[in-house]
Amino acid sequence: MPRFRLTIEYDGAPFVGWQRQDNGPSVQASLEDAVLAFSGERVEVVGAGRTDTGVHAEAQVAHLDLASERFEARTVMNAVNAHLRPLPVAVLAAEAVGEDFHARFSAVWRAYRYVIVNRRAPLALDLGRAWHVMAPLDVAAMQAGADRLLGHHDFTSFRAVQCQAKSPLKTLDLVRVSRHGERVVVEAKARSFLHHQVRNIVGTLKLVGEGKWRPDDVTRALEARDRTAAGPTAPADGLTLVAVGYPD
Amino acid sequence: MPRFRLTIEYDGAPFVGWQRQDNGPSVQASLEDAVLAFSGERVEVVGAGRTDTGVHAEAQVAHLDLASERFEARTVMNAVNAHLRPLPVAVLAAEAVGEDFHARFSAVWRAYRYVIVNRRAPLALDLGRAWHVMAPLDVAAMQAGADRLLGHHDFTSFRAVQCQAKSPLKTLDLVRVSRHGERVVVEAKARSFLHHQVRNIVGTLKLVGEGKWRPDDVTRALEARDRTAAGPTAPADGLTLVAVGYPD
């Protein structure tokens, strides 16, 4: 069966998240419906990262298998895009891949970006795309706090209670905090993340940026291995899955 | 009467444009309603640029006069923002100014940015914020075409039929075309613009970028002084008023 790898952009606002669910429209179901509409085949579209309700993607990666041999990758891309309209989901690229390629299990890293708009005035152009934080944030302090989380740790304190991962052990390869005018951007990269891990890290670093916590408090929260020891979960709006990496 | 200068950000999508109109919600009326709600005064909010339906602003400038002496600029900003919720309009800054300041007549330049997303795939994250152009655009050719429009000219060919300006003579101080990955950005700056001037310029430069027109055709269109001689009007979605300049 031909397997196709898709690169997908979406605005998470109208969706219950990536994964098919009973309580509302998902990105996955929208893609599967579009595939059915053009090919007549009911397939599963397997994604690299199961983004939550309201979380966006610039380049989610997914794969699907078609029984028919008659579709080229370019046709799959154009046909899926035509049937996705007017949803804010777009297939940016499609390519034929071997059956050894698995969007989720072959992935060797995921990269996320979290955007905070740090100003007194409410959001207008960035509504639904950023977290509005009014108190001035000290980005150097946030980076110092973030550095405490780098490397291999038990991230229980930064893991959603409903997280289904077998182990809370993860290796955080990058957490970079930078300011661009009124925008504070947190970039995070790891082989994989726990449920809400990036948002819980950002919610914690915000406490450091506001001066309510010191970087040492981040270490203390990490070592507590208790979700209630870390900061609150940052809103989904500011989070975007920016890239997924594969071998080669 | 105290006069206040406001800097305003808005998403143009839900509005019929800046200017108060009978056929739908405008940014101006939304601001005037918010001022009334906190001050009890029905005032006119005068803007520097009358942006069209669907056109955005990062820093529109406006002024208003209040009869009451009791409000500080900071209070005006916070109160207007509180009453604007949940509309995508935000007052970024407010300051007390003298009666010689007029948002429209004191302005000495306006700067706009037009964003094209130049790719095969439809828009998802940029829906409503950019023009989707599928044919590959040659940015160097677009810049060569844009250069033909720099300076003082009769811009009748790039002026909406319903434009109310007394004269079609304008001085275009800057038109810069640049590519950032799949984004093609056109920046334009002038003391003032005719109705649809930026969008008509972009619609024309797109023809050059696609190779359908040569830069010489832009000169020919300009010299024709006939709206039908230039390219089509680019959609409002891609246009943002980015700044307004004043003396000092």
Side-chain angles (χ1 to χ4, degrees):
Chain A
M1 293 218 297
R3 175 165 289 190
F4 296 96
R5 167 181 168 166
L6 308 180
T7 307
I8 304 155
E9 176 187 300
Y10 50 87
D11 175 359
F15 298 106
V16 296
W18 167 265
Q19 202 160 22
R20 203 183 322 101
Q21 286 179 57
D22 293 334
N23 61 333
S26 65
V27 181
Q28 186 184 34
S30 302
L31 287 161
E32 291 171 356
D33 290 349
V35 172
L36 175 66
F38 92 86
S39 69
E41 297 186 36
R42 171 55 75 190
V43 303
E44 182 182 7
V45 177
V46 179
R50 286 166 295 176
T51 57
D52 273 322
T53 307
V55 174
H56 318 292
E58 276 179 15
Q60 167 79 284
V61 176
H63 78 262
L64 64 96
D65 297 323
L66 287 176
S68 169
E69 304 274 348
R70 75 184 191 280
F71 300 110
E72 291 194 21
R74 191 185 177 79
T75 309
V76 172
M77 169 174 155
N78 293 338
V80 170
N81 280 333
H83 285 94
L84 282 168
R85 216 159 284 163
L87 293 173
V89 182
V91 178
L92 306 183
E95 59 171 316
V97 289
E99 285 189 24
D100 56 332
F101 176 84
H102 189 287
R104 184 168 168 209
F105 299 128
S106 305
V108 290
W109 55 262
R110 278 92 173 160
Y112 284 89
R113 182 179 60 235
Y114 196 98
V115 176
I116 295 170
V117 172
N118 188 29
R119 69 184 189 190
R120 178 124 197 99
L123 304 186
L125 285 167
D126 292 307
L127 263 180
R129 298 290 173 83
W131 187 16
H132 178 215
V133 173
M134 291 170 75
L137 294 173
D138 177 340
V139 166
M142 290 172 76
Q143 183 65 64
D147 290 344
R148 308 302 182 93
L149 302 173
L150 278 177
H152 187 70
H153 301 285
D154 178 331
F155 280 99
T156 298
S157 302
F158 296 90
R159 171 191 199 179
V161 176
Q162 66 268 40
C163 180
Q164 290 167 10
K166 284 183 198 129
S167 162
L169 295 171
K170 291 290 173 191
T171 303
L172 199 52
D173 295 314
L174 171 88
V175 201
R176 187 161 45 204
V177 188
S178 55
R179 177 179 283 281
H180 312 268
E182 65 188 18
R183 304 174 89 78
V184 172
V185 177
V186 181
E187 296 160 283
K189 187 176 166 188
R191 183 172 187 94
S192 63
F193 289 93
L194 298 165
H195 192 196
H196 284 181
Q197 189 180 351
V198 178
R199 290 163 61 189
N200 292 339
I201 288 173
V202 171
T204 302
L205 295 181
K206 180 214 177 213
L207 295 173
V208 179
E210 290 174 325
K212 293 176 182 167
W213 277 33
R214 289 160 305 139
D216 280 348
D217 296 319
V218 178
T219 302
R220 216 180 329 266
L222 180 66
E223 290 172 351
R225 295 174 197 183
D226 172 359
R227 176 67 193 97
T228 65
T233 308
D237 306 39
L239 188 61
T240 302
L241 172 59
V242 291
V244 184
Y246 294 91
D248 310 330
Chain B
M1 292 218 299
R3 176 165 288 189
F4 296 96
R5 168 182 168 165
L6 308 180
T7 307
I8 304 155
E9 176 186 302
Y10 50 87
D11 174 359
F15 299 105
V16 295
W18 166 264
Q19 202 160 23
R20 203 184 319 105
Q21 286 181 55
D22 293 335
N23 62 332
S26 65
V27 181
Q28 186 185 34
S30 302
L31 286 161
E32 291 171 354
D33 290 348
V35 172
L36 175 65
F38 92 86
S39 70
E41 297 186 36
R42 170 55 73 192
V43 304
E44 183 182 6
V45 176
V46 179
R50 285 166 296 175
T51 55
D52 273 321
T53 306
V55 174
H56 318 291
E58 276 179 14
Q60 167 78 285
V61 176
H63 78 262
L64 64 96
D65 297 322
L66 287 177
S68 170
E69 305 274 348
R70 74 182 190 280
F71 300 111
E72 292 193 21
R74 190 183 176 79
T75 308
V76 172
M77 169 174 155
N78 293 337
V80 171
N81 280 333
H83 285 95
L84 282 168
R85 216 158 285 162
L87 293 172
V89 182
V91 179
L92 305 182
E95 59 172 314
V97 290
E99 284 189 24
D100 55 331
F101 176 84
H102 190 286
R104 184 168 169 212
F105 299 129
S106 305
V108 290
W109 54 263
R110 277 92 173 159
Y112 285 88
R113 181 180 60 236
Y114 196 98
V115 176
I116 294 169
V117 171
N118 188 29
R119 69 182 191 192
R120 179 123 197 102
L123 304 186
L125 285 169
D126 292 308
L127 263 181
R129 297 290 173 82
W131 186 16
H132 179 214
V133 173
M134 291 170 76
L137 295 172
D138 177 340
V139 166
M142 290 173 77
Q143 183 66 63
D147 290 345
R148 308 302 183 93
L149 301 174
L150 276 178
H152 188 70
H153 300 286
D154 179 330
F155 280 97
T156 298
S157 301
F158 297 89
R159 172 192 199 176
V161 176
Q162 65 270 41
C163 179
Q164 290 168 10
K166 284 183 195 126
S167 163
L169 296 169
K170 291 289 173 192
T171 303
L172 199 52
D173 296 313
L174 172 87
V175 202
R176 188 163 42 205
V177 188
S178 55
R179 177 179 284 280
H180 313 270
E182 66 187 17
R183 304 173 89 76
V184 173
V185 177
V186 181
E187 296 161 284
K189 187 176 165 188
R191 181 172 188 95
S192 63
F193 289 92
L194 297 165
H195 193 196
H196 284 182
Q197 189 180 350
V198 177
R199 290 163 60 189
N200 291 338
I201 288 173
V202 172
T204 302
L205 296 181
K206 180 216 179 212
L207 295 173
V208 180
E210 290 173 327
K212 293 177 182 168
W213 277 33
R214 288 159 307 138
D216 281 348
D217 295 318
V218 178
T219 301
R220 215 180 329 267
L222 180 66
E223 289 172 352
R225 295 176 197 182
D226 173 359
R227 176 68 193 96
T228 64
T233 307
D237 307 39
L239 189 60
T240 302
L241 172 59
V242 290
V244 183
Y246 294 90
D248 309 329

